[in-house]
Amino acid sequence: MALQITDANYDEVVSTDKLVVIDFWAEWCGPCQKISPVITALAEEYEGKVVIGKCDVEENTEITSKFSIRNIPTILFIRNNEVVDKLVGAVPTDKIKEKIEANC
């Protein structure tokens, strides 16, 4: 299961030496719903190696503003509290895995 990342727990989540992958999404977003099961499956596949979570842009405006998220879905890849890569749109699973492997 993907971790729910919020304004309240963001700092704690990213204070790790592991890669953190955050899917920025909204309930009403069709492409977000399309990749949601992919994010959940990747969270299970990479459990213990990579932190994978979801951030609802409507409920977590601080994080959304911090990263200037304007389009969703947006997937950020964060290491040492810095964005190291980014994907925008409903991208294929292979593309997400490629970015995870490249940044691990």
Side-chain angles (χ1 to χ4, degrees), residues 30-50:
C32 298
Q33 300 305 323
K34 183 178 176 185
I35 69 164
S36 184
V38 170
I39 298 298
T40 300
L42 290 173
E44 291 173 14
E45 181 177 340
Y46 287 96
E47 187 173 359
K49 300 175 199 159
V50 177

Side-chain angles (χ1 to χ4, degrees), residues 15-100:
S15 65
T16 178
D17 58 349
K18 295 177 184 170
L19 178 67
V20 178
V21 179
I22 305 175
D23 170 30
F24 288 85
W25 69 286
E27 191 71 40
W28 49 264
C29 169
C32 298
Q33 300 305 323
K34 183 178 176 185
I35 69 164
S36 184
V38 170
I39 298 298
T40 300
L42 290 173
E44 291 173 14
E45 181 177 340
Y46 287 96
E47 187 173 359
K49 300 175 199 159
V50 177
V51 177
I52 299 179
K54 300 172 66 60
C55 179
D56 185 329
V57 297
E58 302 232 320
E59 295 179 7
N60 300 286
T61 56
E62 283 181 37
I63 305 170
T64 303
S65 293
K66 174 180 177 150
F67 292 111
S68 301
I69 303 298
R70 290 186 174 80
N71 300 306
I72 54 174
T74 292
I75 302 171
L76 296 184
F77 301 82
I78 300 170
R79 180 176 288 292
N80 298 323
N81 211 9
E82 289 189 26
V83 176
V84 294
D85 221 330
K86 175 180 179 176
L87 290 169
V88 178
V91 296
T93 306
D94 291 348
K95 190 81 165 167
I96 301 170
K97 287 177 101 169
E98 181 183 298
K99 297 283 188 182
I100 290 172

